[in-house]
Amino acid sequence: MTTIRKRLWTNAKGDEKQSWLVDYRDQSGKRRSKQFSRKKDAEAWQVGAAWQVSQGTHTADSQSITIEQAGKLWIETVTLKGREATTIAAYDQHVRLHINPLCGAVKLSRLTKPNVIAYRNQWMKDLSAPMASRVLKSLRMLIKDAQERGLVAQNVALGVTVDSGGRSRPQIVIPPKKALAAILGHSGDDQALALHCLAIFAGLRASELRGLTWQAIDISGAMVAVIQRADAKNNIGPPKSQAGRRTIPLPNMALQALRKWKLACPPSPMDLVFPSPSGKVMSHPAMLQGISGPVQIACGLKTPDGEKPLYGLHAFRHACASLWIEQNVSPKRIQTWMGHSSIQVTFDTYGHLFNQAEKDAGIADAVETAIFEDAT
């Protein structure tokens, strides 16, 4: 039950003042009030508050915090959860540079979906569509964290998205099979061949290659297990998501290359498959420029200036997925082998390549054969 009453008082200068108070009880039964200078504003707020209380979604202003305060709590949460330093830094940048300047002083209890839409529109004017989408996602997660803490009853940012305006996703770069065959054929160095085999035939991310240990490779079982990765600062940790933990089949060429490289691989404290010269985690630039780059340049696969390799390591991951799709591997199996968090990610990235058929037997070896057949 809510009521509206007039409040009259005299200020320090002797002037008579009036306001309108909405008295109400929240969903927990606690008595609260909110003051307005105009009666019609009080009446409009009363209707909305009564509905929120009935739905259990009301948060009193006195119990709420600002978006800036919620942002600090959210950053604390993701830090305690052990997220990677680069991820935390990106979230912190979203809050400091884009969210706080626009709406940091707004209390969560006063935040509405139209407010969020207005913020979204402003970010789309000021930022690229991908960055606007990331900032909006950070706002959603920020509010979700506050909701879990009991500081706000609902997440009004849910359902608000960045519309790409019909623009397609950036085109992924997939090296042709002739280029893959040339790279594998010119990888005379045991280390380079092992690296390219794992990248092309298993689709491992560069971070997963850098954090890979020999214990994760089952040569007799023809499998490689992804159980950890190296972040941008060369720290070893778990995959970015639970889906990142996976086991992938390997063809005979990869197994032979790994057998040879294991005999030649220098020992390292962490038993890394691709350690740096000092026995530590190899950096991403060192892996690309020091191992894959020279092979690509020797094959003529280089940038127009002739100084850099044509393909990044992630291009081999795309190539692997396209080869699996060509062998009619099911989308669900590809999602698992690629370590995608959802089937939607797989379809968003490779949906245009799929032929909806499934064939299980001999996939890994058929991929190897397809590369060299096409190259001859």
Side-chain angles (χ1 to χ4, degrees), residues 106-161:
V106 177
K107 280 199 168 187
L108 290 176
S109 59
R110 299 185 181 183
L111 190 62
T112 65
K113 190 167 186 176
N115 293 151
V116 176
I117 292 173
Y119 303 150
R120 185 272 316 271
N121 292 345
Q122 188 61 51
W123 288 325
M124 289 187 70
K125 291 178 183 178
D126 298 339
L127 309 169
S128 66
M131 177 57 78
S133 180
R134 289 193 288 271
V135 172
L136 178 60
K137 182 179 179 181
S138 289
L139 179 63
R140 281 198 298 269
M141 293 191 291
L142 178 158
I143 299 172
K144 179 183 177 182
D145 180 69
Q147 187 179 23
E148 292 173 349
R149 293 172 181 268
L151 299 173
V152 68
Q154 58 181 330
N155 190 341
V156 296
L158 291 177
V160 181
T161 59

Side-chain angles (χ1 to χ4, degrees), residues 139-330:
L139 179 63
R140 281 198 298 269
M141 293 191 291
L142 178 158
I143 299 172
K144 179 183 177 182
D145 180 69
Q147 187 179 23
E148 292 173 349
R149 293 172 181 268
L151 299 173
V152 68
Q154 58 181 330
N155 190 341
V156 296
L158 291 177
V160 181
T161 59
V162 170
D163 186 357
S164 65
R167 291 171 292 182
S168 61
R169 293 171 61 91
Q171 187 68 35
I172 60 174
V173 176
I174 303 176
K177 285 185 280 187
K178 285 186 177 181
L180 300 177
I183 290 170
L184 292 169
H186 281 77
S187 296
D189 177 82
D190 292 340
Q191 182 187 45
L193 183 57
L195 174 68
H196 286 124
C197 280
L198 287 170
I200 294 171
F201 295 125
L204 268 61
R205 301 175 175 93
S207 60
E208 295 165 348
L209 290 166
R210 291 165 52 230
L212 187 66
T213 63
W214 285 109
Q215 292 89 337
I217 296 176
D218 181 0
I219 293 180
S220 61
M223 295 284 182
V224 57
V226 179
I227 56 176
Q228 64 182 32
R229 64 192 293 272
D231 66 15
K233 295 187 177 181
N234 297 336
N235 296 316
I236 296 292
K240 293 191 72 172
S241 67
Q242 187 59 39
R245 297 179 180 272
R246 61 201 190 277
T247 302
I248 309 158
L250 294 173
N252 185 57
M253 181 179 187
L255 298 174
Q256 291 183 357
L258 287 166
R259 285 191 187 98
K260 289 186 65 178
W261 172 234
K262 188 172 184 179
L263 295 175
C265 179
S268 62
M270 290 182 282
D271 200 25
L272 295 169
V273 177
F274 303 108
S276 71
S278 62
K280 298 179 180 179
V281 175
M282 184 180 295
S283 70
H284 189 149
M287 182 169 281
L288 176 60
Q289 302 298 335
I291 303 178
S292 182
V295 174
Q296 292 189 51
I297 291 174
C299 297
L301 301 170
K302 49 192 175 182
T303 55
D305 60 14
E307 296 181 359
K308 297 179 181 179
L310 185 59
Y311 300 111
L313 294 173
H314 208 73
F316 301 133
R317 176 171 164 82
H318 292 321
C320 180
S322 70
L323 290 164
W324 283 334
I325 293 169
E326 188 178 279
Q327 295 300 318
N328 295 323
V329 183
S330 72

Side-chain angles (χ1 to χ4, degrees), residues 339-353:
H340 288 160
S341 57
S342 70
I343 192 67
Q344 190 60 50
V345 174
T346 308
F347 280 128
D348 285 347
T349 309
Y350 305 113
H352 61 293
L353 300 176

Side-chain angles (χ1 to χ4, degrees), residues 41-70:
D41 293 336
E43 291 173 338
W45 187 88
Q46 178 191 35
V47 173
W51 169 253
Q52 291 173 356
V53 169
S54 70
Q55 299 299 303
T57 60
H58 178 72
T59 302
D61 285 351
S62 61
Q63 300 298 113
S64 186
I65 60 174
T66 65
I67 292 176
E68 182 174 0
Q69 291 170 324

